[in-house]
Amino acid sequence: MVVEATLSDAELARQKQIDDWLPITSARNAKWWYSAFHNVTAMVGAGVLSLPFALAELGWGPGIVILIMSWIITLYTLWQMVEMHEMVPGKRFDRYHELGQHAFGPKLGLWIVVPQQVVVEVGVCIVYMVTGGKSLKKVHDVLCPSCQDIKTTYWIMIFASSHFVLSHLPNFNSMSGISLAAAIMSLSYSTIAWTTSLHKGVIPDVDYSYRAKSTPGIVFNFFGGLGDVAFAYAGHNVVLEIQATIPSTPDKPSKGPMWKGVVVAYIVVALCYFPVAIVGFYIFGNRVEDNLLISLEKPAWLIAAANLFVVVHVIGSYQVFAMGVFDMLETFLVMKMNFKPSFVLRFVTRTTYVAITMFIGIAIPFFGGLLGFFGGFAFAPTTYFLPCIMWLALYKPKPFSLSWCANWFCIILGVALMILAPIGALRNIILQAKTYKFFS
């Protein structure tokens, strides 16, 4: 027995040493407003600029309803995750998959959550590589139309160079400054996008009907629009990881400050999303581009500034999503592969990850189109209905009670979204495949 006790003490000491080193659990002294801007940064993607386009595909009535319902449902599932973070007294579920394992069992929980989380986090990182590169290129092209054209590939490399440095920040708290800048930027370029549109005024003979004229065209575009809206609300993959950085005591659990941060974040999200979607569609009708900033050509300096803001924001978002991946990789290497927690291990792992996402972004610049397809399978569950299934499994509310009905409502909608969105995306991929070039 004595031997066993010392063993477990040594094990506990090792576990503590590892926890103090891993990016999610190493610093637990975050303030509530950290969670606010981490959440804004994670959620308001560059996808906000495609919302008017999504609205054009959905139409006025259904579009507004879907936008508002997505906002409400995702806020509800976010609240569930914040509540479930400390549902077992004395234990914190610091990662999405730990909650999954608690709900579905150690083996199944891993297999349900981790693949989806990886698809979302790695997918977002790759898309942001391309977005960052393209936005930098846009700044260059707008400010200096007569300059020699520089290939997007090089812009992606320039953008990636910032991540080769920033990805070595050890944990969430150390990047709160970057996250704050990113959150401010997302509000700024959203505001630029819709105020400039308003200033421009409604374009002559504006048309609010569906762009496609055939019934199948309208239906498939509608599915595509659903996907666009669904991906606009995809910050749930890093919620528990963000909450893990907030201090917690039995009388002051972390869910208080975290929820305060989430509510602030969601108000900011509403201020970004609704004006952009509604004003953008109102001004340009169904001729709006899938990136609102492209529809606005003038004034040049303002469009350049907005694109620069997008770059700063995407730098922050990349880091927030990458932190989750780094944590998984480092946990795996230290726990399963028995590497020693060290600077070298971290340096090699993270540099390799940034290099791989950069290379995929350069090789497959049309990755965003593909994400709509793969994302549908991963974004919809992790954001819309996995938290509800966990809630039903863990709290077992009485059948047909309010909680039970609300959860099943979200699950049915979420599953429908998971099936329909990839169909719309797949059709878009097929239609655009002829313009896809590797290493373009």
Side-chain angles (χ1 to χ4, degrees):
M1 279 306 285
V2 181
V3 179
E4 268 180 28
T6 49
L7 246 181
S8 68
D9 281 349
E11 272 297 293
L12 281 173
R14 177 169 181 263
Q15 183 60 49
K16 180 160 177 7
Q17 182 203 355
I18 292 171
D19 274 348
D20 287 344
W21 181 75
L22 287 172
I24 304 293
T25 43
S26 61
R28 292 203 193 265
N29 52 1
K31 308 276 184 285
W32 71 265
W33 56 86
Y34 285 20
S35 88
F37 42 75
H38 283 319
N39 273 311
V40 171
T41 304
M43 193 161 295
V44 183
V48 57
L49 298 171
S50 67
L51 285 177
F53 183 78
L55 208 52
E57 292 182 325
L58 298 168
W60 270 128
I64 306 262
V65 170
I66 290 164
L67 262 179
I68 294 172
M69 277 189 40
S70 296
W71 191 85
I72 294 169
I73 291 174
T74 53
L75 183 58
Y76 172 62
T77 55
L78 203 78
W79 170 79
Q80 290 181 313
M81 290 181 74
V82 172
E83 287 289 316
M84 288 190 284
H85 177 73
E86 295 174 289
M87 58 178 294
V88 178
K91 186 167 168 38
R92 298 181 71 172
F93 299 116
D94 294 321
R95 301 167 181 85
Y96 207 149
H97 66 83
E98 290 176 14
L99 184 61
Q101 287 172 300
H102 180 62
F104 307 124
K107 261 286 199 294
L108 186 64
L110 267 187
W111 282 106
I112 289 177
V113 178
V114 172
Q116 302 198 40
Q117 229 186 336
V118 169
V119 167
V120 171
E121 290 174 2
V122 178
V124 166
C125 285
I126 296 168
V127 170
Y128 282 165
M129 272 290 178
V130 182
T131 309
K134 282 185 173 163
S135 296
L136 277 174
K137 181 172 167 42
K138 187 102 206 278
V139 173
H140 172 263
D141 295 350
V142 166
L143 291 182
C144 185
S146 55
C147 294
Q148 191 183 351
D149 190 50
I150 301 174
K151 270 173 63 179
T152 312
T153 304
Y154 300 124
W155 288 114
I156 294 176
M157 288 177 179
I158 294 168
F159 178 73
S161 63
S162 63
H163 294 297
F164 280 115
V165 179
L166 293 177
S167 61
H168 299 294
L169 289 170
N171 52 38
F172 267 126
N173 286 2
S174 58
M175 51 170 274
S176 52
I178 295 171
S179 206
L180 173 65
I184 294 170
M185 290 301 155
S186 58
L187 193 55
S188 309
Y189 70 71
S190 303
T191 309
I192 288 179
W194 70 264
T195 46
T196 316
S197 301
L198 261 187
H199 179 73
K200 190 179 175 117
V202 179
I203 59 169
D205 44 280
V206 64
D207 180 7
Y208 298 119
S209 63
Y210 288 120
R211 194 170 311 139
K213 293 298 167 247
S214 63
T215 309
I218 290 173
V219 172
F220 280 121
N221 280 352
F222 191 89
F223 292 166
L226 276 180
D228 287 345
V229 173
F231 307 148
Y233 293 98
H236 290 42
N237 287 281
V238 284
V239 170
L240 293 176
E241 285 81 346
I242 294 168
Q243 190 170 350
T245 61
I246 293 180
S248 179
T249 55
D251 51 329
K252 268 196 158 165
S254 64
K255 66 184 181 191
M258 178 68 185
W259 178 241
K260 209 176 352 176
V262 167
V263 170
V264 171
Y266 254 75
I267 291 169
V268 174
V269 165
L271 289 175
C272 288
Y273 284 14
F274 295 112
V276 169
I278 293 165
V279 173
F281 183 40
Y282 170 69
I283 299 292
F284 294 102
N286 63 16
R287 276 178 286 178
V288 69
E289 297 278 349
D290 62 355
N291 177 342
L292 186 57
L293 290 178
I294 297 174
S295 293
L296 300 161
E297 288 97 12
K298 300 195 170 26
W301 63 270
L302 196 63
I303 305 307
N307 275 293
L308 209 53
F309 291 171
V310 172
V311 173
V312 176
H313 174 221
V314 170
I315 288 175
S317 284
Y318 181 98
Q319 289 303 324
V320 169
F321 280 97
M323 200 56 83
V325 185
F326 295 154
D327 184 77
M328 282 190 212
L329 288 172
E330 287 166 17
T331 306
F332 174 73
L333 289 169
V334 173
M335 302 291 241
K336 292 276 182 288
M337 296 298 188
N338 289 325
F339 277 96
K340 252 184 90 67
S342 66
F343 172 76
V344 176
L345 178 69
R346 186 165 271 179
F347 184 82
V348 173
T349 318
R350 295 186 175 195
T351 309
T352 313
Y353 176 75
V354 174
I356 291 170
T357 52
M358 177 185 81
F359 182 74
I360 298 176
I362 291 169
I364 317 178
F366 50 87
F367 192 83
L370 305 180
L371 190 73
F373 178 66
F374 295 118
F377 297 122
F379 275 123
T382 50
T383 308
Y384 285 80
F385 65 88
L386 252 183
C388 298
I389 294 175
M390 291 178 184
W391 186 272
L392 289 173
L394 295 170
Y395 287 102
K396 304 189 174 52
K398 217 163 61 240
F400 302 105
S401 62
L402 182 64
S403 166
W404 189 89
C405 292
N407 284 309
W408 275 107
F409 177 70
C410 294
I411 291 171
I412 292 163
L413 276 180
V415 172
L417 197 66
M418 181 177 84
I419 296 165
L420 299 179
I423 298 175
L426 186 63
R427 175 169 174 272
N428 278 342
I429 291 174
I430 294 167
L431 290 179
Q432 294 168 353
K434 40 188 179 299
T435 61
Y436 287 166
K437 288 193 202 65
F438 289 97
F439 296 103
S440 57

